[in-house]
Amino acid sequence: MKRSPASRGVGASGRVPEPQPLRRAELSRVESVYTDVDGTLTTGHKLRSQTIRALESLSEAGLRVVLVSGRPAGWGEAWARTLPVDGVIVENGGLFFVRGASGALRRVYAEAPAERVENRKRLRSEVLRVLKQVPGARLSSDSVYTEVDLAIDYNEEVRLGDAAAGRIEALLRARGVTAVRSSVHVNCWIGRFDKLSMARRFARVAWGESLSPESGRCVYAGDSFNDAPMFQAFALSVGVANVRGVLDRIDAPPAFITRAAEGRGFEELARAILAQRGRRPANRSDL
């Protein structure tokens, strides 16, 4: 089940290891499900009722579910308060939301307050500089709800295409800014964090345990470039079928892939986990 480090990314030949069909994954020991949102839970940019039911079914079976997204803090707080999940990591690891022992929602940042202020100021300056160099580039409409990172829209309300998105990434990286694409935005930040580092911190803070992505007790589901750190670390990394669109360019591919795309792919994963754990839904409409 565990892949060797050499097999997880694109080799010197440029060949990408082909993800295995989900049916080959050993999911019977899974206790925690970490999942991206856009293009992984959403279908056509919407959350289907069946996908929310899949989250509910996992929770009802005693599994812990954590959303891991590039979306803003404002979205993350709403998800943490309204969806059947145990926590929400947002802004590509900039912060997370989790309920404390009292039930109150906690907000935990990757950086200290002074560092956040300094990095945010520089980030805004660098991003605005790059926006002027790429025709049509603009901040995403939801960047107003961010606290740590910023997002440049290339595939949500505008259609800049892959070439423009790649140029935005290159320009930002040349300025010392971390930049990586989701299925809709180029997310950018200054700071030493990503989805994986914050998932490790989340496990320590929320559950008092170390994240063991190689153990077979946790699974990660995603679909795009900014999921690569999680795909590389998790032995049980699962790409929903639309990840095929980036497999030839992603730094690390998932170990397994679903037959269905987007939210339906996540529903397929949830069914597989529950079936292997002995809690098979009475029928497909239950999930």
Side-chain angles (χ1 to χ4, degrees), residues 32 34 64 89 195-204 207-215 217-219 230 233-234:
S32 303
Y34 294 79
R64 303 178 296 197
I89 299 169
K195 286 185 171 185
L196 178 59
S197 63
M198 204 51 150
R200 293 187 186 281
R201 186 170 177 186
F202 179 91
R204 290 195 303 270
W207 305 320
E209 62 187 44
S210 296
L211 179 67
S212 300
E214 73 288 344
S215 67
R217 295 194 300 272
C218 51
V219 62
M230 302 292 271
F234 278 64

Side-chain angles (χ1 to χ4, degrees), residues 219-251:
V219 62
Y220 181 75
D223 78 305
S224 196
F225 298 100
N226 62 340
D227 297 308
M230 302 292 271
F231 286 159
Q232 180 160 353
F234 278 64
L236 290 175
S237 61
V238 178
V240 289
N242 41 301
V243 77
R244 292 192 183 280
V246 301
L247 281 181
D248 60 338
R249 292 166 289 156
I250 198 168
D251 288 341

Side-chain angles (χ1 to χ4, degrees), residues 152-214:
I152 298 172
D153 188 351
Y154 82 94
N155 194 39
E156 187 169 43
E157 296 177 354
V158 298
R159 296 290 184 269
L160 298 185
D162 283 344
R167 184 167 182 234
I168 291 168
E169 287 177 300
L171 289 168
L172 287 167
R173 289 170 183 169
R175 303 290 303 178
V177 176
T178 300
V180 63
R181 267 179 274 180
S182 70
S183 59
V184 290
H185 298 156
V186 176
N187 298 113
C188 41
W189 66 91
I190 296 172
R192 298 179 64 182
F193 60 82
D194 59 16
K195 286 185 171 185
L196 178 59
S197 63
M198 204 51 150
R200 293 187 186 281
R201 186 170 177 186
F202 179 91
R204 290 195 303 270
V205 172
W207 305 320
E209 62 187 44
S210 296
L211 179 67
S212 300
E214 73 288 344

